Amino acid sequence: MDQQIFASKPNNSKEPWDVAIIGSGPAGLTAAIYTTRGAASTIIFGGEVWGGQLMLTTEVDNYPAHPGIMGPDLMAKMREHAQMFGAEFLQKNVTAVDTSVKPFKITADGVDYFSKSIIVATGAETLWLEVPGIKELIGRGVSSCAPCDAPFFKDKKVAVVGGGDSAMEEALVLSKYALEVTIIHRKDTFKASVAMQEKVKSNPKIKILWNTEVVKVNGELRLESLDLRNNSDNSISNFPIDGLFIAIGHTPSTTVFSGKINLDEKGYVVASDKTKTSVPGVFVAGDVEDHRYKQAITASGFGCMAAMDCLTFLSEIK
Ligand code: NDP
């Protein structure tokens, strides 16, 4: 791809950027591709650890036109693509946002930046179990996304941890490929909706281990087994398994937006008209609002929508 700069930078530090994008996952970087191509000067606050959840993934098989690409490679391509059109990328964490002033003020690393608009694309973090061995095996048998990884477990034995709708959904997706799916839940009732529970309970491939918790994840190069504790009698057993899917919830990354834009009770950004937050000129994209689909491709599409709405906003305030 040839270098094609569409968006120039502000001439000095007092002149505001047209768009400040906070977050550098698929939502933020896709938004940047659209805002720069819309000739809007764009700064991305990518975070010290940039790239979002795909940086923790190995093979990605469901991003169109990139079958088999490694997650970090896909994100590097997206970053390069956004920068090619003139987006400025700062690998810094935002520590404060002031949406009560115009232009908006964003602080990162002790420096204030000003922007006429903001796209919030900070994503949500997967909650992982806090047990020994799990972090080392993420992408090596441990996953949090059945729609992404289920085909890698054809005719294998897999387990899902959790008792909410996500766990039910993961188990149902996995049952289309796996030999056997075991839901491991710490209580003796599910939190999930009755409809989802019924689908799970009537699926002959899905078994449920009630009152059970994973206390250790074992494996050298790949996941091999789990140590399980039965909460009724505290006994420990070993459970050989090929795949482990964690579905115990997500936490949206919205600490700096608390009190600045409307958040729901779980901390997700509340949007109206798809991408608009409670503050005109501040838009949202990706998993920081969407707790249903949580896919790279939906986040990218959401980033595109936020950018287009943001460009319309900028044309209206000119
Ligand atoms: P939830 O918070 O609803 O459920 C999390 C589950 O994980 C609970 O059963 C909880 O156990 C369990 N859990 C939490 N921490 C631990 C831990 N440390 N160890 C073991 N188990 C743990 O999260 P979901 O992601 O399932 O759902 C989030 C929201 O998204 C919900 O509102 C849900 O309805 C919605 N959703 C809707 C879907 C749909 O409509 N198709 C699909 C997916 C999600 P416990 O029960 O003991 O608290």
Side-chain angles (χ1 to χ4, degrees):
M1 284 187 286
D2 292 335
Q3 186 87 1
Q4 279 181 292
I5 302 290
F6 289 103
S8 49
K9 296 172 190 173
N11 290 322
N12 58 60
S13 62
K14 294 266 161 46
E15 193 184 324
W17 293 83
D18 291 324
V19 189
I21 295 175
I22 308 179
S24 58
L29 293 177
T30 305
I33 292 166
Y34 275 78
T35 55
T36 48
R37 289 178 55 81
S41 62
T42 300
I43 184 166
I44 304 166
F45 295 89
E48 276 164 24
V49 181
W50 74 279
Q53 301 219 58
L54 280 191
M55 299 301 271
L56 303 173
T57 313
T58 50
E59 214 172 318
V60 178
D61 254 348
N62 57 6
Y63 202 89
H66 293 285
I69 193 168
M70 301 303 272
D73 294 341
L74 181 58
M75 294 321 299
K77 276 178 183 282
M78 278 193 212
R79 176 174 167 171
E80 192 189 337
H81 194 164
Q83 288 179 294
M84 189 176 85
F85 295 136
E88 178 89 353
F89 191 99
L90 284 189
Q91 210 165 322
K92 290 181 180 174
N93 291 340
V94 168
T95 50
V97 173
D98 190 347
T99 55
S100 68
V101 293
K102 293 280 175 63
F104 302 124
K105 186 167 89 174
I106 298 122
T107 309
D109 240 3
V111 178
D112 293 334
Y113 299 82
F114 297 91
S115 182
K116 295 176 198 167
S117 67
I118 294 176
I119 297 177
V120 178
T122 43
E125 273 183 56
T126 299
L127 293 178
W128 297 99
L129 292 174
E130 297 289 329
V131 296
I134 194 161
K135 290 267 152 74
E136 296 80 353
L137 293 170
I138 293 171
R140 295 182 171 79
V142 176
S143 169
S144 64
C145 181
C148 315
D149 296 336
F152 299 127
F153 295 91
K154 191 162 169 25
D155 298 329
K156 308 258 186 203
K157 285 176 72 178
V158 298
V160 176
V161 177
D165 282 327
S166 294
M168 305 299 116
E169 211 164 64
E170 296 277 292
L172 290 165
V173 170
L174 286 161
S175 71
K176 295 184 183 138
Y177 294 90
L179 182 68
E180 187 180 292
V181 182
T182 304
I183 299 179
I184 299 170
H185 186 41
R186 62 186 178 183
K187 288 188 184 148
D188 60 2
T189 51
F190 283 142
K191 185 178 175 182
S193 61
V194 172
M196 293 291 272
Q197 290 194 38
E198 277 171 7
K199 278 191 197 169
V200 159
K201 287 175 182 168
S202 63
N203 186 315
K205 275 195 183 173
I206 303 179
K207 298 186 165 55
I208 302 164
L209 277 181
W210 300 107
N211 290 316
T212 304
E213 285 185 55
V214 176
V215 290
K216 190 161 174 275
V217 176
N218 308 303
E220 285 292 322
L221 295 176
R222 280 197 66 77
L223 172 68
E224 290 164 16
S225 71
L226 308 173
D227 287 355
L228 301 181
R229 182 180 61 224
N230 181 325
N231 286 338
S232 313
D233 59 11
N234 276 335
S235 60
I236 303 285
S237 59
N238 185 261
F239 192 71
I241 200 85
D242 301 301
L244 175 66
F245 287 75
I246 307 298
I248 62 170
H250 290 79
T251 311
S253 306
T254 49
T255 313
V256 292
F257 303 107
S258 178
K260 313 292 177 182
I261 53 177
N262 283 353
L263 306 177
D264 70 12
E265 70 283 356
K266 289 185 175 162
Y268 285 91
V269 176
V270 175
S272 62
D273 200 11
K274 296 194 166 62
T275 68
K276 294 177 182 159
T277 72
S278 53
V279 176
V282 181
F283 299 85
V284 65
D287 293 7
V288 70
E289 190 274 346
D290 165 32
H291 46 79
R292 175 152 185 202
Y293 298 102
K294 299 176 283 202
Q295 300 299 302
I297 188 66
T298 51
S300 277
F302 204 158
C304 161
M305 294 193 296
M308 292 176 82
D309 290 344
C310 187
L311 290 171
T312 302
F313 167 82
L314 290 169
S315 69
E316 286 168 357
I317 59 167
K318 267 193 180 143

